[in-house]
Amino acid sequence: MKHISVLIKPASGLCNLRCQYCFYADITSLREVASYGKMKKETTEKMIQQIFVDLDAGDELTLAFQGGEPTLAGLPYFKQLVALVEEKQAQKSVRVHYALQTNGMLINQKWATFLKSNHFLVGLSIDGHPMYHDLHRLDTKGKGTFHRVLETKRLFDAYQIEYNVLCVLTNQLAKEPKKVYQFLQKEKIDYIQFIPCLDELQAKKRSTYALTPERFASFYRQLLHLWLQELSTGHYRSVKLFDDVFNLVVNRQVNACGLVGNCQIQYIIEADGSVYPCDFYVLDEYRLGFIQEQTLRELFSQDVGQKFLCEKKEASVLCQTCPFQQMCHGGCKRMKAAMYVNAAGDFCGYQRFLQTFLPEVTNIQTYLQAL
C-alpha cells in the first residue's frame, strides 16, 4: 500500500489579496508565464485520470489545493473534481483525503457545507495577531483583512470543519511570541503551523519582513516556554515544529519535507497541468512535464527531477561541527536564510532551538502520557 500526495494550484498564482511577503508572487514573477489562470475542465479530467493510473486498490491519495488563492477556481470546480474522483474510486478502491489552503476571504456557508461534507482539512491563514496580520495581509484596496478572516474562522467552528491555522512568521511578528500565544488561547486555536517568512528568491537586499535565524530561535524558545507551561496543566496545543521534532526524536518519524536535510519530490501541479518537484521552485527550469502527457511515475523519472533531488546545498562550517548534524543535515535549502545559518556563518537558529527543545523531550513525554 502506498500513499501519494499531490499539491494542485487550480487558480495558479491568482489571488484576491496582495500580501507583501507572498513567496508565490515572487516565484511567478520569475517565470516566462506568471499566471496560468484557472484550470480548465479538460485538464482537470486528464489530471485525475493520470493520477489514478499509478494507484492500486488499497492505496491512499491526498489531494491538496493551494495558490495563489485556490478558491478563486470556484466552488463548481471543486464539486466537479470531487465527482471525477468518486467516479475513479468506483473503479478502483482508493482512499482519498482532501486539503485546502485558503486566505478565507471567499468562504461562505455554501463553501462551508461543501468542505464539511467532503471532509476537507483546511489551512486558514491568520498571522497570529490583528496588528501584524493587517501589516502585510492586505486586500486589493490596501486594507487589512484580519476581521474578515476571523469571520471565516468562526464559520469553520460553527460547521465543525477540521482546520488548522497557518501563520507566516515574519521578522516583526517573531518579536511577539507571548502576544501570539495569547491570541491562540483566546481564539481556541489548537492546531498551528508557523511558516518562516522568506525573502525573495533573487533578493539583492534583505527585506524588513524576512525572518532571520536569530529571530527564529528567539521566537521558538520563548514559545516553547509558554507551550510547556500550558502542557503541564493538561492542555495540548499542536505546534507543528514541536510535533515534528518530537516525532523525529522519539518515534523516528520524518513528518516534514526538509526536516532532515533531504529534498523529496512533491508533485506540484499548476493550472495548465505543468508539474514541478517543489512548491518553492515552481520555475520554468524545474518543470518535469505535463500531467496531460505523462503519469506521476513517469514524471518522477525525468532528469529534471533527479537533478533537483541531487542539487548540493552550500556547505557550512557551522554544520560540520554541529552536534545535531545527523538529525538535520543542513535542513531545507530554501529555508536556510530564515531559520538555519545566518549570513555571518556563526549562528544557526535551528541549532539554538534544538538546544532548548531536546532537554525537554522527557518532560513532554510525561505530560503527553498524563493527558
Side-chain angles (χ1 to χ4, degrees):
M1 185 184 78
K2 57 185 176 292
H3 189 166
I4 294 178
S5 296
V6 181
L7 180 61
I8 302 165
K9 294 182 177 291
S12 191
L14 298 176
C15 192
N16 49 359
L17 295 189
R18 297 295 180 266
C19 302
Q20 295 176 346
Y21 51 57
C22 180
F23 85 89
Y24 205 65
D26 173 46
I27 290 295
T28 59
S29 72
L30 301 175
R31 301 190 312 211
E32 185 175 340
V33 177
S35 175
Y36 298 107
K38 298 177 183 179
M39 185 176 285
K40 297 178 181 178
K41 180 180 179 181
E42 301 77 31
T43 304
T44 306
E45 291 173 347
K46 190 64 176 178
M47 175 180 70
I48 297 302
Q49 178 184 329
Q50 293 285 66
I51 289 173
F52 267 80
V53 168
D54 291 330
L55 295 169
D56 300 308
D59 287 347
E60 292 191 41
L61 169 67
T62 294
L63 296 177
F65 302 89
Q66 195 169 303
E69 173 51 41
T71 59
L72 287 173
L75 188 53
Y77 166 86
F78 284 90
K79 289 181 176 180
Q80 174 213 359
L81 184 140
V82 168
L84 290 169
V85 169
E86 290 175 347
E87 287 179 14
K88 292 297 180 182
Q89 285 179 293
Q91 302 166 14
K92 190 182 294 185
S93 180
V94 173
R95 187 178 180 186
V96 179
H97 311 274
Y98 295 107
L100 172 74
Q101 174 58 37
T102 178
N103 59 34
M105 298 296 289
L106 295 181
I107 302 297
N108 55 23
Q109 291 185 343
K110 289 183 179 179
W111 270 103
T113 299
F114 170 80
L115 296 171
K116 178 64 177 179
S117 62
N118 290 284
H119 310 289
F120 270 69
L121 171 63
V122 182
L124 181 63
S125 295
I126 307 177
D127 279 358
H129 186 276
M131 182 177 74
Y132 293 98
H133 180 104
D134 285 344
L135 183 64
H136 295 294
R137 301 190 67 81
L138 309 174
D139 64 18
T140 55
K141 296 180 180 179
K143 296 181 179 180
T145 59
F146 176 82
H147 291 293
R148 175 65 188 86
V149 178
L150 208 60
E151 289 177 8
T152 295
K153 185 261 182 195
R154 305 209 192 293
L155 192 62
F156 287 165
D157 289 334
Y159 276 77
Q160 297 183 319
I161 292 170
E162 188 177 358
Y163 71 94
N164 53 50
V165 165
L166 272 73
C167 172
V168 176
L169 188 61
T170 61
N171 219 34
Q172 297 99 328
L173 185 61
K175 298 177 183 178
E176 305 287 358
K178 187 173 182 179
K179 287 183 179 179
V180 170
Y181 208 77
Q182 288 173 339
F183 170 76
L184 299 178
Q185 292 174 316
K186 177 185 175 184
E187 292 297 330
K188 296 182 173 58
I189 296 170
D190 282 339
Y191 296 90
I192 179 75
Q193 178 178 357
F194 295 100
I195 310 296
C197 186
L198 304 178
D199 216 337
E200 295 178 355
L201 192 60
Q202 298 180 2
K204 296 180 180 179
K205 181 180 178 182
R206 192 171 189 88
S207 66
T208 58
Y209 51 73
L211 188 65
T212 64
E214 291 86 353
R215 218 31 95 57
F216 168 89
S218 173
F219 175 83
Y220 268 110
R221 293 177 76 194
Q222 294 178 68
L223 195 78
L224 178 63
H225 175 71
L226 298 168
W227 183 77
L228 286 170
Q229 279 186 327
E230 188 176 38
L231 185 60
S232 69
T233 67
H235 184 86
Y236 169 70
R237 193 178 307 277
S238 173
V239 176
K240 192 173 189 306
L241 181 63
F242 298 164
D243 294 348
D244 287 343
V245 176
F246 180 85
N247 282 316
L248 177 65
V249 174
V250 176
N251 303 317
R252 299 295 187 265
Q253 294 177 354
V254 180
N255 295 332
C257 181
L259 187 67
V260 293
N262 298 322
C263 286
Q264 301 170 359
I265 291 290
Q266 302 172 318
Y267 296 112
I268 315 298
I269 304 181
E270 256 283 7
D272 67 335
S274 53
V275 181
Y276 305 82
C278 175
D279 196 28
F280 289 140
Y281 295 93
V282 186
L283 298 164
D284 296 339
E285 57 264 39
Y286 289 105
R287 185 186 297 122
L288 301 176
F290 292 85
I291 195 65
Q292 302 95 310
E293 301 169 1
Q294 295 174 292
T295 67
L296 292 178
R297 190 189 302 274
E298 291 168 340
L299 289 163
F300 178 80
S301 65
Q302 300 298 309
D303 291 342
V304 175
Q306 300 308 309
K307 179 183 176 182
F308 173 79
L309 291 176
C310 296
E311 282 180 345
K312 293 184 179 180
K313 293 176 292 189
E314 292 182 33
S316 167
V317 175
L318 197 60
C319 288
Q320 295 171 12
T321 59
C322 179
F324 311 117
Q325 184 184 29
Q326 294 305 310
M327 64 179 291
C328 171
H329 297 283
C332 170
K333 60 185 178 185
R334 184 65 177 96
M335 295 282 189
K336 178 183 176 182
M339 60 179 281
Y340 295 101
V341 181
N342 65 2
D346 58 4
F347 179 87
C348 175
Y350 190 58
Q351 181 191 78
R352 183 63 58 86
F353 162 70
L354 291 177
Q355 289 170 343
T356 307
F357 184 87
L358 294 182
E360 298 290 350
V361 166
T362 300
N363 289 333
I364 294 171
Q365 282 182 295
T366 302
Y367 293 144
L368 293 177
Q369 289 169 358
L371 293 179

